[in-house]
Amino acid sequence: MDTSPRFPSAAPDTVIAIPVRNEAERIEACLRAIDAQDGVRPGSLGLYLFLNNCTDGTDRIVADLAQAMSIPVRVRCVTFDGAHAGWARRAAMDAAAEWIGPDGTAGTILTSDADSRVPTDWVARNLAALDAGADAVAGRIQIDEAEWAALPKSLRARGKLEDAYSDLLTELEARIDHDPHDPWPCHRTTIGATLSVRLSAYRLVGGMPMIPLGEDGAFVAALLQHGLRVRHAKDVVVTVSGRLVGRAPGGVADTIRARCEIPDSLCDARMEAVPRALYRYLWRRRLRRLHATGRLATTRAWSRRLAIPAAEAGRIAQQPLVGLAVAEIERVSPKLVYRPLGPKQLPRHIRVASLVLVVLRAGAALRSRLQSPTPASPLLPEAKAMAGDPVSR
C-alpha cells in the first residue's frame, strides 16, 4: 500500500524505516510522534512501514493513520513463518534505500521501533550529527516513565547503577582510546529504536545484518570495522516501552523480564571490572597505533602477550582495515574475553572508576593549559599497574 500519490512525485532523500509486528496498542503513538517532526525540509522526509505477521488489527490501524499523515507513507504487509527481528529491519531499511534511489548513494535512512516514541526533533538531531561528519548516528533510549515506575524498585535501582557505571566506562574509553569522530560526551548504546545512517554507508557494509538477534549491534560494529564514523549522540533520545512481553526475542522486554526474574543476573558484557576495562582500552589504543605504522605485521610481541597463535596473528596483521583487525584480535585473544560484573559488584567499581577518571581529567586539564599536542591521556603508575598497561612495556 502506497499513500504517497497525494504528495509530489519526487522521492524523499530521508526515509524512516520501521518494522512492525502486532503493535495495535502502540502504533498510533509511534506514528503521531513521527508526523510531528520539526526542523525538516518540506518534502524531504518519508516513512516506510514493514508489517510482518500482524494478527491483531495493526494493519487496519496503520491504513487509517497513514492516509492522514503529513508525510508520504509506504506500507507493506507480509506473512512469513521464518520472520525475525534482523530479517524485518533489513527488509524495511532495504525498501527505504530503494525508495530514496535504487542506484544512488546520497540520502539517509533512519530506523526505529513500532513501540517507540521519537521526540519532535529526532530527525533534525540525527541529520545535524550526520552533517557534522558522521556516517551513522546511534542514539539512546529511555523507558516510558509510567511503565518504568511500575517496575520493581530493585530493578530500577540496578538500572541506575548500570547507567552510572556505563557512563564512567565510556568516558574512560573515550579518554584512553580517543575517537575524534565520537568524542566525549558520548555513550555506547546500540539499539534499533534509534539509528540513522547515510545511504552510502549502508550500502558499503552490505545493509542491516539479517540475523535473529542483535542485528543493530552487529550493524554498528560493521560500520566501525569498515572505518566509518559512528557518532553515539547523547542528545538523541527515544522513549521505548517498559513491557515485559516483547515482539523480538532478546530485546528490551526480554532483558527487563529476565532481570525481574533473576535479580543477580550478570550485567551487559562491556560492564567488566575497571582493571580489565583499562587493559582493553589500552590495548585497543596500542593496536591501532601498531596498525597505523605497519608494525602490526612486522612484530609479534603483541600477539604473544595476547596469547594469539602466530598463524592467526599473521592473518590478522594483513587486514587493511584497522577496525576489522582490532575486532578480530579481541575475538580470538583469551586475554580479552569479556567478563561482566554482577550487580552487587557495581558500587565498588563505580568508586574505582571515578577515582581513575579524576586522574585522567586532571591530566587532560594540565595538557590543555600547557597546550600540549599529545592526544593520549596519562595514567598514574598505580592505574597502569592495575590495568597491566601494554603501552608502558
Side-chain angles (χ1 to χ4, degrees):
M1 177 176 66
D2 189 342
T3 68
S4 59
R6 59 196 175 91
F7 294 95
S9 58
D13 57 29
T14 302
V15 175
I16 302 169
I18 300 183
V20 185
R21 182 177 182 180
N22 285 345
E23 292 291 356
E25 294 181 2
R26 301 174 187 268
I27 191 64
E28 180 174 357
C30 172
L31 298 189
R32 292 199 184 285
I34 288 172
D35 203 32
Q37 293 301 294
D38 291 329
V40 180
R41 180 168 48 83
S44 66
L45 183 63
L47 172 63
Y48 190 95
L49 300 172
F50 183 75
L51 278 62
N52 67 99
N53 300 306
C54 290
T55 59
D56 66 345
T58 298
D59 52 345
R60 295 190 297 273
I61 297 171
V62 166
D64 290 340
L65 291 171
Q67 293 291 337
M69 291 186 69
S70 63
I71 60 174
V73 182
R74 291 186 175 183
V75 182
R76 185 183 179 195
C77 301
V78 301
T79 300
F80 177 50
D81 290 340
H84 55 70
W87 167 82
R89 198 176 302 280
R90 168 66 176 260
M93 295 182 75
D94 281 359
E98 183 76 10
W99 188 4
I100 294 171
D103 301 317
T105 57
T108 302
I109 304 170
L110 298 95
T111 187
S112 187
D113 291 336
D115 67 326
S116 301
R117 300 192 311 274
V118 301
T120 57
D121 59 356
W122 181 63
V123 171
R125 284 186 181 272
N126 275 278
L127 292 179
L130 292 166
D131 289 342
D135 296 301
V137 180
R140 298 185 297 124
I141 61 169
Q142 61 182 12
I143 295 178
D144 177 87
E145 288 186 11
E147 295 180 338
W148 177 248
L151 293 172
K153 184 177 179 180
S154 59
L155 180 69
R156 286 179 279 139
R158 171 178 174 162
K160 289 180 180 179
L161 287 174
E162 288 184 317
D163 288 346
Y165 192 50
S166 179
D167 283 346
L168 292 169
L169 288 181
T170 301
E171 186 177 354
L172 283 172
E173 181 184 17
R175 290 185 180 278
I176 293 170
D177 184 27
H178 177 67
D179 180 353
H181 304 297
D182 195 20
W184 179 258
C186 55
H187 64 89
R188 286 295 175 264
T189 299
T190 301
I191 191 165
T194 173
L195 285 173
S196 64
V197 61
R198 291 299 194 195
L199 181 56
S200 56
Y202 183 76
R203 287 184 164 145
L204 179 64
V205 300
M208 179 64 60
M210 200 158 49
I211 55 178
L213 179 63
E215 81 285 354
D216 38 18
F219 178 63
V220 170
L223 292 168
L224 292 170
Q225 290 164 11
H226 280 78
L228 295 167
R229 299 160 294 188
V230 179
R231 177 60 176 154
H232 292 81
K234 294 196 77 170
D235 65 338
V236 177
V237 185
V238 167
T239 299
V240 301
S241 68
R243 62 190 178 190
L244 299 181
V245 179
R247 304 296 179 263
V252 173
D254 278 2
T255 300
I256 294 173
R257 187 178 68 254
R259 291 182 177 179
C260 287
E261 295 171 350
I262 309 174
D264 291 331
S265 58
L266 292 177
C267 302
D268 293 340
R270 70 180 296 266
M271 300 279 198
E272 51 191 350
V274 173
R276 287 194 64 80
L278 293 174
Y279 184 81
R280 182 180 307 281
Y281 305 153
L282 288 161
W283 263 112
R284 284 179 185 167
R285 185 177 74 180
R286 185 186 184 194
L287 291 168
R288 294 186 209 284
R289 292 175 177 178
L290 289 173
H291 188 278
T293 60
R295 293 171 57 209
L296 200 66
T298 60
T299 179
R300 287 292 180 267
W302 62 270
S303 60
R304 289 192 296 270
R305 291 175 61 188
L306 291 175
I308 297 175
E312 284 271 41
R315 175 184 62 81
I316 293 170
Q318 299 306 312
Q319 173 56 250
L321 296 174
V322 62
L324 289 174
V326 173
E328 187 67 0
I329 289 169
E330 289 199 70
R331 186 186 70 82
V332 303
S333 171
K335 300 291 187 69
L336 295 174
V337 172
Y338 280 97
R339 296 173 184 167
L341 299 172
K344 292 180 181 178
Q345 298 171 284
L346 289 173
R348 177 167 65 89
H349 285 278
I350 286 173
R351 291 192 296 270
V352 175
S354 298
L355 290 172
V356 176
L357 275 171
V358 169
V359 176
L360 294 179
R361 291 166 183 160
L366 178 61
R367 285 196 309 276
S368 179
R369 287 196 296 270
L370 297 175
Q371 296 184 334
S372 170
T374 306
S377 298
L379 287 175
L380 285 180
E382 293 83 0
K384 287 184 178 181
M386 190 179 190
D389 179 19
V391 178
S392 63
R393 298 178 186 174

